[in-house]
Amino acid sequence: MTHPEKLAAIRELMKNEGVDAYIIPSADPHMSEYLPDFYKSIPFVTGFTGSVSTVVITPNFAGLWTDSRYFVQAEAQLKDSGFELVKLRAQGMPEYIEWLGEHLQQGGKVAFDEKTVSVSLGLLLAQQLAFKEIKFQHSDYVGRIWENRPALPAEPAFLLPEEVVGQSVQSKLAVIRMSLAKQHANYHLVSSLDDMAWIFNLRGQDVGYNPVVLSFALISESDVKIYIDKDKLSAEDQQTLANQGVTMLAYDLLASDLQQLPSSSRILIDPKRNCYYMYKQLTKGIKILLETNPSTHLKAIKNEVEIANTRKAMMKDGAAMTKFFKWLKENIGKVEITELSAAEVLKNFRAQQEGFVGESFNTIAGYKAHGALPHYAATPESDVTVEADGLFLVDSGGQYQYGTTDITRVIPMGNNTEEESTDYTLVLKAMIEGCKARFPKGTCGYQIDAITRKPMWEYALNYGHGTGHGVGYYLNVHEGPHIFNASATPIPVELDTITSIEPGIYRIGKHGIRIENLVLTVKDESNEFNEFYAFESLTLAPIDTTLVKKELLETSHISWLNNYHQQVYEKVSPLLNEEEKAFLKEMTKPI
Amino acid sequence: MTHPEKLAAIRELMKNEGVDAYIIPSADPHMSEYLPDFYKSIPFVTGFTGSVSTVVITPNFAGLWTDSRYFVQAEAQLKDSGFELVKLRAQGMPEYIEWLGEHLQQGGKVAFDEKTVSVSLGLLLAQQLAFKEIKFQHSDYVGRIWENRPALPAEPAFLLPEEVVGQSVQSKLAVIRMSLAKQHANYHLVSSLDDMAWIFNLRGQDVGYNPVVLSFALISESDVKIYIDKDKLSAEDQQTLANQGVTMLAYDLLASDLQQLPSSSRILIDPKRNCYYMYKQLTKGIKILLETNPSTHLKAIKNEVEIANTRKAMMKDGAAMTKFFKWLKENIGKVEITELSAAEVLKNFRAQQEGFVGESFNTIAGYKAHGALPHYAATPESDVTVEADGLFLVDSGGQYQYGTTDITRVIPMGNNTEEESTDYTLVLKAMIEGCKARFPKGTCGYQIDAITRKPMWEYALNYGHGTGHGVGYYLNVHEGPHIFNASATPIPVELDTITSIEPGIYRIGKHGIRIENLVLTVKDESNEFNEFYAFESLTLAPIDTTLVKKELLETSHISWLNNYHQQVYEKVSPLLNEEEKAFLKEMTKPI
């Protein structure tokens, strides 16, 4: 079927059921960042392959809402599809709801697959469209027209031993149950796959980059059921789970179990991390507490083993980065290097490190103007040759069996302009402002975000993305609940959490600069005024200083940079040969 | 009746009605900051006179929850009252709800006067106590035992002419109705008195410091009713309102009118600015939109007339402050000066200015250790003599017919210590950081708060209050919706809003330092990165520089201060005599 034929087929189904609008979100029942092929409905229906968008189909309109990152790509991919691009004003906002409110008739009917809508979004739709008395229906029209739909992934999965994760499943369940008791909940549904991975010390490879396994858990005061294709696990691992009191049930049995919960239940459900479908299986009378998963909070706070292992991952990753910088410097202009080939070389340097599992996300290797495209990932079509000129932005990371990394560096390739040097210095200054921040206990991410941006705001510069995100332990490179951005997210920055600090400047058509370290929140001074916290940079890789304009920095920034580079040399050089050591020594010399 | 007798009488009423807990908040049906005497229930019942607290009475416990500002006072005032102090961990948090959750039996009954509970709080109580299936009852037991309860205020009120406020009532109603239409609401209830004052260009003196009038409004698409004791207004003003299509009804008729709204209504109610009682008058079927009052947003954005008039108020206020500083310097050690007498002198200097109406709040004049008590207000009992030694903190403001002021300055009286100088300089640095901030459109108050605090955090210092609050125009000195504090309040800093910037350092037993200017949000540079905003200091009064340690400031802070002082001199000196001019010249000389 062509895309217009698929659109016509969906409209036919809508017509038969009296549906006025059909919504297709890009999501799965676990609210995952990376979707299994089974849930890649929007590429199937429209041809658009961007990571985030929403499709709305009515009898006489078919639109795809996406943000500025994807405008060019969407225009191209939607050509002749029957779908038109609707440009989002703000990334991630469900602006199509406003459109529906304007275009639907009073009492109209809207359908969507409730498995692909979060509880929050389902409730928001109902609330925002109530003024037109809109009715809602659960329908997976895409599934009904999708011949040869890919199967759900069935990749092997495994348990991590306690020595590697630092905490037993029993101990984690005990803390979760304490949190449930405090919130007067006697049931708890977990759908988010990184929460599942953390609670059950479970890892797998069902989706790209995130080492997770499709599964759900239903936790009560007395027992724990996980819904999973148990063939993914070895017999030994199955036994281990059983020994911990975990009952394993088929993945698709959750819905009926939810329907049978006693009406006296009080169930805690994270509205952002569960789908509306499961929420709606809960029968009348059940009290639903819409709160963040206890495990999401707990997972963010790394234990001693996780921190020690992550430090090791950072040394290995820093060694790989150093080798990459050296290779690039020595080979540029001599052999053909492109964005893609450079990314491949970097991946290979990481793969040489013991315990490397894979990349933690698709490397962003953006040369010159490509660096200015947020979330640019080179494809064979877009790939360009990197030359001894301009700036080369590389944002990459690794999954190791003992931690997850994420690092951005910008490499001056040569002939750099004044503007490039100024921008580079101001990005570095902003990153250092974030990294060297001291702040009282209770400070939230939006406050760190403001402090990091301030040196840029002084020059009337800014960046359109957040300053930083939480990072998992051999788990998702993006994890909550804390985040460093401008949004009013009232999550304090807790001790022992790992977060990125990654300000940037993007000049469309010219260059992009972003410098990123991961930091650990640590204790600082305590006094009559407060208990203060600070950040320790976990990332250990040199930051090129050749473009730095010292006159734009204060003494405190220069000291920070020189101290940081001393640390990098001390910790990474033991993993390098003599030539590499000399190279690193030069890159980390004081300014 | 003694306090224990009152407590016994309330417990008797509770027992008769099978009530397990009775809550007395400090609030009125308008959620006012300053209560009419009629609503001063807590002082009546317990003897405690602090501005904010909550009382909870059960058959075997009677507690008063208040914050650290009032611990000493509450301990003293509650002695032998039958009530005990419960110390709040966090100011303003309803921690007694947790206590109720722990102490009530399953299915218990809680009573309170719904007129003294906000919609938010009423809903929170119901939600937080649902796990124990608590039932709620509306009862004003205080009213039932209060013989000779003070009457509601009946002070004269008046309308302000359009020339003074810059916008007609019709025009304001039109914008409010546009906002209602956009939110699909056809009714809107207004209870907050500053919103009433703004919408109807109405002022009065029903409560202290805030020039407002007890009243409500019910606004529909076609008409407007205000509920007010209309005898407060002149016949001419009554006619003016009638000519604008406003129907005036008795203050106590609102509840029955709400009961009679058609069930198809969609009513917008601000959950923080309305009482639960009125909310509960709305019958089943009515759709209730819990959103901030449109007028609260509109009121914060000052029009040209309001801004021009406020600038005038600032000059007059700066002249009064200058005279006060001069008087203090010339008389200290010569005549007896106390905190109270100094505040009185300052009030008199303000009263000499044309159009002075009164103080905008109770002056905080705190000498030495008193300056470290947040919200300290001298009483005849606490009053101390101010001497030529230490620091004197004065936080004061005026209501003028053309604007509202709020300013804090700290006056070095002599023999100042190194610590005082360092603290003074760091507070000044923080205030300047806030005042000179440049930030992109969309920035929220919590971001300005972080930028202002950062210079203090670097020294492991902090302050326990917010950085700033919105300020009204000849209206409340504290007004929303925007606020500069650490809370996750997602209200952007809009152009033409007025806010205070007032960081501080408080060393218990030693001194308190706070420096406060009011700032106007103005346009700054616009470019490919964003539209940037900045602040213009509206407050025009010298900042004592004798303690400033220049080495703790950067060049940009010194420039800001010198430029500011030049502005102060230029604008205020024309209102001064020659001697005063010379004094101001000296105080504002560049550092």
Side-chain angles (χ1 to χ4, degrees), chain B residues 295-356:
Chain B
S295 52
T296 304
H297 289 289
L298 296 166
K299 170 165 56 62
I301 296 168
K302 272 54 180 177
N303 62 41
E304 282 177 19
V305 173
E306 292 172 321
I307 292 172
N309 283 352
T310 299
R311 287 191 208 281
K312 181 177 151 194
M314 294 293 171
M315 285 189 271
K316 301 280 189 182
D317 209 62
M321 289 299 294
T322 303
K323 288 166 198 249
F324 172 67
F325 292 144
K326 182 165 178 285
W327 168 83
L328 193 61
K329 191 140 284 182
E330 289 172 355
N331 289 279
I332 191 72
K334 295 180 188 153
V335 299
E336 164 84 359
I337 298 175
T338 71
E339 294 169 333
L340 281 178
S341 76
E344 188 62 22
V345 168
L346 174 54
K347 183 181 171 179
N348 290 339
F349 281 124
R350 282 204 169 92
Q352 289 166 18
Q353 307 298 323
E354 162 219 347
F356 177 76

Side-chain angles (χ1 to χ4, degrees), chain B residues 142-268:
Chain B
V142 176
R144 281 159 65 183
I145 66 163
W146 197 341
E147 290 171 29
N148 305 316
R149 185 175 192 167
L152 286 174
E155 302 296 319
F158 50 93
L159 301 183
L160 292 177
E162 206 180 313
E163 310 87 78
V164 172
V165 290
Q167 193 180 1
S168 69
V169 173
Q170 279 100 329
S171 157
K172 290 177 177 181
L173 287 170
V175 188
I176 290 171
R177 284 182 171 131
M178 275 172 55
S179 172
L180 297 177
K182 207 177 158 194
Q183 296 177 77
H184 313 293
N186 53 14
Y187 282 95
H188 174 39
L189 171 62
V190 182
S191 298
S192 36
L193 302 184
D194 61 341
D195 282 295
M196 289 298 301
W198 181 83
I199 300 170
F200 298 101
N201 295 337
L202 174 70
R203 298 294 188 277
Q205 42 190 304
D206 277 351
V207 299
Y209 307 110
N210 290 346
V212 296
V213 189
L214 286 192
S215 53
F216 300 97
L218 189 56
I219 299 172
S220 77
E221 289 157 308
S222 56
D223 63 11
V224 184
K225 293 176 181 151
I226 68 175
Y227 300 82
I228 189 170
D229 174 359
K230 69 178 174 181
D231 293 342
K232 291 176 179 175
L233 286 164
S234 68
E236 193 190 337
D237 280 347
Q238 291 184 36
Q239 190 56 51
T240 303
L241 281 173
N243 292 347
Q244 289 164 328
V246 176
T247 308
M248 296 182 35
L249 297 165
Y251 179 74
D252 57 7
L253 286 182
L254 173 65
S256 57
D257 276 9
L258 289 175
Q259 288 160 14
Q260 284 154 38
L261 286 187
S263 68
S264 62
S265 306
R266 290 176 55 89
I267 185 166
L268 188 149

Side-chain angles (χ1 to χ4, degrees), chain A residues 433 438 446 454 458 460 486, chain B residues 433 438 446 454 458 486 527:
Chain A
E433 277 293 303
R438 173 196 266 163
Y446 46 75
K454 189 192 157 245
E458 284 175 357
Chain B
E433 277 294 303
R438 173 197 265 165
Y446 45 74
K454 189 190 158 247
E458 284 175 356
N527 58 26

Side-chain angles (χ1 to χ4, degrees), chain A residues 432-439 448 451 533-535, chain B residues 454:
Chain A
I432 295 174
E433 277 293 303
C435 289
K436 76 180 184 67
R438 173 196 266 163
F439 51 92
I448 303 300
I451 285 174
Y533 294 169
F535 295 127
Chain B
K454 189 190 158 247

Side-chain angles (χ1 to χ4, degrees), chain B residues 369-585:
Chain B
H370 282 174
L373 304 173
H375 297 259
Y376 170 77
T379 62
E381 294 73 39
S382 73
D383 198 20
V384 293
T385 300
V386 179
E387 290 166 354
D389 187 58
L391 297 174
F392 186 26
L393 181 152
V394 181
D395 186 355
S396 67
Q399 293 288 4
Y400 300 87
Q401 284 162 356
Y402 43 88
T404 301
T405 67
D406 181 2
I407 174 171
T408 310
R409 292 291 184 265
V410 170
I411 308 140
M413 301 307 298
N415 300 320
N416 295 105
T417 65
E418 274 299 296
E419 186 179 63
E420 286 171 347
S421 297
T422 302
D423 286 356
Y424 186 93
T425 307
L426 291 175
V427 170
L428 178 60
K429 186 177 180 180
M431 196 211 63
I432 294 174
E433 277 294 303
C435 289
K436 76 180 184 68
R438 173 197 265 165
F439 51 92
K441 180 178 175 176
T443 294
C444 295
Y446 45 74
Q447 295 164 282
I448 303 299
D449 182 80
I451 286 174
T452 306
R453 284 177 200 269
K454 189 190 158 247
M456 290 207 184
W457 290 354
E458 284 175 356
Y459 288 80
L461 298 167
N462 200 15
Y463 46 97
H465 55 75
T467 289
H469 53 84
V471 177
Y473 169 73
Y474 182 14
L475 207 38
N476 296 7
V477 77
H478 295 147
E479 75 169 26
H482 64 300
I483 189 155
F484 294 172
N485 68 17
S487 76
T489 307
I491 309 277
V493 185
E494 302 281 1
L495 286 178
D496 300 330
T497 53
I498 298 177
T499 322
S500 70
I501 295 186
E502 45 178 314
I505 294 179
Y506 308 93
R507 294 201 187 263
I508 304 304
K510 290 181 171 176
H511 61 255
I513 298 167
R514 180 167 64 250
I515 305 178
E516 173 187 26
N517 269 8
L518 302 190
V519 296
L520 179 73
T521 308
V522 296
K523 277 198 184 172
D524 195 89
E525 192 172 336
S526 283
N527 58 26
E528 64 184 294
F529 294 99
N530 228 314
E531 199 175 318
F532 285 87
Y533 294 169
F535 295 128
E536 175 200 326
S537 275
L538 290 172
T539 299
L540 292 169
I543 298 170
D544 199 293
T545 58
T546 52
L547 296 188
V548 172
K549 290 182 154 186
K550 279 181 77 170
E551 66 275 20
L552 297 181
L553 301 179
E554 292 158 29
T555 320
S556 63
H557 304 118
I558 295 170
S559 306
W560 185 93
L561 184 63
N562 290 340
N563 286 338
Y564 175 68
H565 270 151
Q566 194 184 331
Q567 292 284 311
V568 170
Y569 186 78
E570 278 172 18
K571 291 180 182 157
V572 174
S573 61
L575 305 180
L576 303 176
N577 67 30
E578 291 308 313
E579 268 187 35
E580 290 159 350
K581 273 186 199 174
F583 177 83
L584 182 60
K585 189 86 193 168

